[in-house]
Amino acid sequence: MTVPLPPLPPAPEEGYRPGGRSIADIVDAEHRQLLALLDQLTGPDATPQEGLAVLTAALSRHLSAEEQYLLPAVRAALPDAAGRVDAEIDADAALLAALKALGDDGLTDVAERVRRHVDSVGRLVAELRAVATEEELIRLGNRLEIAEEAAPTRPHPGTPATPPWNRIVEPAVGVVDKVRDAVTRRPTYLADLPEPPRG
């Protein structure tokens, strides 16, 4: 089965293998990194303030990119999963709202929501991997990485969660977030942490 891709330049020839990583590999790696960061922030020797800004930015980027490319690809390739995709979009909105209101005492709630996200999206990724070609997964992975770089670094649960509007609105909101981050010198990447989690 061929996965309907977002508008992309045509592949030059049959058998062409694009460069880059598979969307499935990227999402799996990011899920491991997010879980490792949560373990770091909720462990016995944790000092959550160090990593809360990075957790917020990483999750905001991750959810935005998934909603722009992964979830629409799953919906198109696996019509029977449409209800699960809708439930994931709703769960993402609730996670963003919890993230927006995050304080030290709310980290447990956010951690549990992230763990549920990793489980449910992990199942969708496995199903997508079974029906998509490696070339399709790589091309989607390239789009996902571009979307993450343009995505907001703060939670905006009220922004559109489905294409085409999220692909228009979220990069614009992302610009504003990045200006705020630069002005306040807010860390937004795992590499910005003194001890980045291994994922």
Side-chain angles (χ1 to χ4, degrees):
M1 171 178 232
T2 300
V3 174
L5 292 167
L8 295 170
E13 58 190 52
E14 191 67 32
Y16 167 75
R17 187 179 189 282
R21 297 185 302 157
S22 153
I23 193 169
D25 293 342
I26 294 167
V27 170
D28 288 347
E30 288 180 0
H31 284 170
R32 286 191 305 274
Q33 290 173 330
L34 288 169
L35 291 174
L37 178 57
L38 282 167
D39 287 345
Q40 223 177 33
L41 295 175
T42 57
D45 300 324
T47 51
Q49 293 77 11
E50 287 181 354
L52 287 179
V54 172
L55 174 67
T56 299
L59 262 174
S60 297
R61 281 193 302 269
H62 175 78
L63 295 176
S64 173
E66 279 187 351
E67 289 175 355
Q68 289 181 54
Y69 290 99
L70 175 65
L71 296 180
V74 169
R75 186 188 304 274
L78 304 162
D80 292 345
R84 290 166 48 212
V85 169
D86 291 339
E88 191 55 43
I89 289 170
D90 292 342
D92 287 355
L95 175 53
L96 286 171
L99 198 58
K100 188 170 187 169
L102 183 63
D104 293 343
D105 56 341
L107 192 54
T108 304
D109 177 49
V110 167
E112 184 53 39
R113 289 178 188 274
V114 170
R115 287 184 181 92
R116 283 196 304 264
H117 168 85
V118 167
D119 289 342
S120 61
V121 172
R123 287 191 295 274
L124 292 173
V125 166
E127 292 174 40
L128 179 64
R129 196 187 292 258
V131 299
T133 67
E134 187 63 19
E135 291 76 19
E136 290 167 334
L137 294 173
I138 290 170
R139 294 178 89 192
L140 283 166
N142 291 337
R143 286 304 219 200
L144 183 92
E145 288 182 319
I146 291 167
E148 281 190 341
E149 283 307 310
T153 58
R154 298 165 192 267
H156 299 280
T159 59
T162 55
W165 294 110
N166 64 346
R167 292 182 186 161
I168 296 167
V169 172
E170 297 221 338
V173 173
V175 169
V176 175
D177 284 354
K178 286 171 182 57
V179 168
R180 289 176 63 194
D181 295 340
V183 168
T184 61
R185 297 177 188 258
R186 176 179 177 250
T188 60
Y189 287 95
L190 295 173
D192 295 337
L193 293 172
E195 291 181 34
R198 296 186 189 342

